[in-house]
Amino acid sequence: MDSPAFIPAGGLSLRSSATQAPLCCGRPRPAAAAGRVRMASEIGQDDKEEVRDYFTNTGFGRWNKIYSDDDSVNAVQKDIREGHAKTVETILSWVDEDGDAQGQTFCDAGCGVGSLAIPLASRGAVVTASDISPTMAAEAQRRAAEELPASSAALTTFQTSDLCDLSGFYDTVACVDVMIHYPQEDVNEMISALSALAKRRLIVSFAPKTLAYSLLKKVGEFFPGPSKATRAYLHAESDVVAALEAEGWTIKRRGSTASKFYFSNVLEAVREA
């Protein structure tokens, strides 16, 4: 469920992006930085293919149901739904507190079914959202068309893309509940790639690595059900912060959500003036 062409003309368009040279501050990235992005597309290929296949095929129905209003979900799935919603609510509360969504550009990398992209668009943001799974991106597009007024829909673009292939330049870049599918070395490369897209703010969430959560994961309780088919990685917050600071970010806000089956820390990183 990794996570976009970045001109949202026409509204609610759904495209598969071709690989383009990443930009940094509106200019081509330095060769070394571009090399890091190329490396990112290589070192995590097995994980990426696993994630793409799962969320495009067998996993799509399961997670589309979880991230919906379907009353037939079981108690575990409902717990995950509510946990994810709280993470999204935390991010939206930060955006609302700053009062700067209207007219701002947002990139939602790994948008899933549009849980963050759609409410951002409803606040007047210009949103470009992408997912590695074409079925997820298509479902996000469908929901946006159904839920958003025409004026907001016209400012929203959905497409299929590996987040390391994204290009463009945005006021805010968000990557929510994606990093759990990748080991730390890949997460470092992802943060580098996402940093090149963000003007002033980068928001990321991840499953925190603690002794308790590591034990839960080891005994198979961290993710419910036998159909969960992707590898899960926990990340120490200090490692994620170090990767952000290496790209010149300063942590402004922190949030966390913890329930029986959903665990997530979220960080808002900003550029120092």
Side-chain angles (χ1 to χ4, degrees):
M1 207 192 79
D2 184 18
S3 356
F6 280 145
I7 302 175
L12 290 178
S13 59
L14 179 62
R15 292 166 288 183
S16 295
S17 69
T19 302
Q20 301 177 17
L23 302 180
C24 181
C25 301
R27 302 180 298 276
R29 299 184 73 190
R36 288 199 299 271
V37 175
R38 286 195 297 271
M39 184 185 299
S41 66
E42 296 171 358
I43 61 177
Q45 201 60 39
D46 289 346
D47 288 296
K48 287 180 183 178
E49 290 303 323
E50 184 179 87
V51 170
R52 181 185 291 110
D53 180 70
Y54 176 71
F55 284 103
T56 298
N57 298 298
T58 59
F60 170 73
R62 172 185 175 85
W63 290 96
N64 185 40
K65 179 180 177 180
I66 290 174
Y67 296 145
S68 73
D69 296 325
D70 192 323
D71 292 331
S72 67
V73 294
N74 60 39
V76 171
Q77 293 170 332
K78 183 178 180 182
D79 182 87
I80 294 171
R81 173 192 291 171
E82 293 173 350
H84 177 74
K86 287 180 181 178
T87 295
V88 171
E89 288 169 7
T90 294
I91 296 169
L92 292 173
S93 73
W94 294 344
V95 172
D96 292 341
E97 184 177 329
D98 292 342
D100 61 355
Q102 183 73 36
Q104 294 289 300
T105 54
F106 284 76
C107 173
D108 184 6
C111 66
V113 296
S115 302
L116 177 62
I118 293 171
L120 284 172
S122 72
R123 286 163 166 77
V126 180
V127 181
T128 298
S130 66
D131 201 277
I132 198 170
S133 162
T135 51
M136 282 287 185
E139 174 62 15
Q141 179 194 30
R142 186 197 67 78
R143 293 190 185 194
E146 182 178 277
E147 298 174 22
L148 291 172
S151 58
S152 297
L155 299 175
T156 309
T157 300
F158 294 92
Q159 49 195 321
T160 304
S161 179
D162 174 346
L163 68 80
C164 287
D165 291 337
L166 304 184
S167 63
F169 204 37
Y170 304 89
D171 295 306
T172 298
V173 174
C175 185
V176 180
D177 289 355
V178 171
M179 294 178 177
I180 191 170
H181 302 298
Y182 301 96
Q184 185 62 46
E185 59 268 27
D186 289 6
V187 166
N188 294 343
E189 300 295 342
M190 291 162 64
I191 287 174
S192 180
L194 294 170
S195 295
L197 308 175
K199 291 181 185 179
R200 61 185 187 85
R201 177 166 56 188
L202 176 58
I203 298 171
V204 300
S205 75
F206 55 95
K209 186 175 184 179
T210 68
L211 178 59
Y213 295 164
S214 296
L215 289 174
L216 283 174
K217 177 176 177 290
K218 186 169 292 187
V219 298
E221 296 175 4
F222 190 81
F223 287 103
S227 62
K228 179 69 179 81
T230 65
R231 284 167 282 193
Y233 299 91
L234 308 182
H235 301 287
E237 181 166 314
S238 59
D239 291 338
V240 179
V241 170
L244 289 165
E245 291 179 343
E247 296 296 329
W249 296 102
T250 298
I251 305 303
K252 179 180 178 181
R253 295 181 175 110
R254 287 176 164 88
S256 64
T257 301
S259 63
K260 291 181 180 179
F261 297 98
Y262 178 93
F263 312 92
S264 181
N265 285 6
V266 58
L267 301 174
E268 178 191 37
V270 298
R271 304 281 190 195
E272 289 189 324

